Amino acid sequence: MSTLAIANQYAKALLESISQPGSGATSEEALTQLEQFDSLLKSSHDLHTILLSPAVAHAQKQKVLGRLAELLGLHGFVRNFLFVVTRHRRLNLLGEIRERYQALLDETLGLLRARVSTAAPLTPEQMTALEAALSQVTGKQMRCGYEVDDTLVGGLAVRVGSTMYDGSVRGQLDSLRRRLTSEA
């Protein structure tokens, strides 16, 4: 089974359990907590080594996870999910599980995520206008992540899934160059 399929199974199981009435947590809170834990795991070499090492007993890993869950204020469902993932030696897939969880949650909520690269930082008004325009084009509510790309001369480039909307000066120049060379 591929790592994507495994990550998808875990993400789906977490989303289904969190979505149950009376779980006490929202799906968005679980996502935030997964991101928090994943970030901590990636930033601490020692923690990464302890939790992923087959030489460390599972009981020790659970103690460490339990203490971290308490310190981070993780919901019981998220804590127990991390216990299961660790027990099945899938903690190395936590990043992929989090990404699949986010994709499944977005699908459930009818959201699309976009990655926006700009030549200069956008104002909040520009971000709102861009998200409204993208929502109109896609027919879905948008959540955008923004980054400044120093290689762009001006304008912006937006990636929604596998679709790229390139309104950058560089993109326009490349398009012009292709048209000119194909006509010559």
Side-chain angles (χ1 to χ4, degrees), residues 127-139:
M127 290 178 190
T128 302
L130 177 62
E131 289 175 18
L134 289 170
S135 290
Q136 199 168 28
V137 168
T138 62

Side-chain angles (χ1 to χ4, degrees), residues 29-92:
E29 287 172 333
L31 176 61
T32 301
Q33 291 178 5
L34 278 179
E35 288 170 343
Q36 223 179 354
F37 186 82
D38 190 34
S39 176
L40 179 64
L41 187 62
K42 288 177 181 173
S43 68
S44 173
H45 176 72
D46 292 339
L47 181 61
H48 189 270
T49 302
I50 289 168
L51 292 178
L52 273 74
S53 173
V56 177
H58 180 67
Q60 285 301 109
K61 291 178 185 182
Q62 277 199 301
K63 282 182 186 177
V64 170
L65 277 174
R67 183 70 179 128
L68 285 172
E70 186 180 316
L71 290 172
L72 293 173
L74 299 183
H75 187 273
F77 273 95
V78 176
R79 183 198 66 222
N80 291 343
F81 176 76
L82 292 172
F83 285 162
V84 169
V85 170
T86 303
R87 185 178 325 114
H88 292 133
R89 296 185 177 150
R90 300 295 191 190
L91 200 57
N92 62 322

Side-chain angles (χ1 to χ4, degrees), residues 104-116:
L104 291 169
L105 178 60
D106 289 350
E107 187 179 310
T108 301
L109 298 174
L111 295 174
L112 276 179
R113 292 199 183 260
R115 188 86 219 131
V116 179

Side-chain angles (χ1 to χ4, degrees), residues 152-168:
L152 296 178
V153 178
L156 56 90
V158 179
R159 178 173 298 282
V160 179
S162 61
T163 305
M164 184 73 165
Y165 300 97
D166 194 346
S168 68

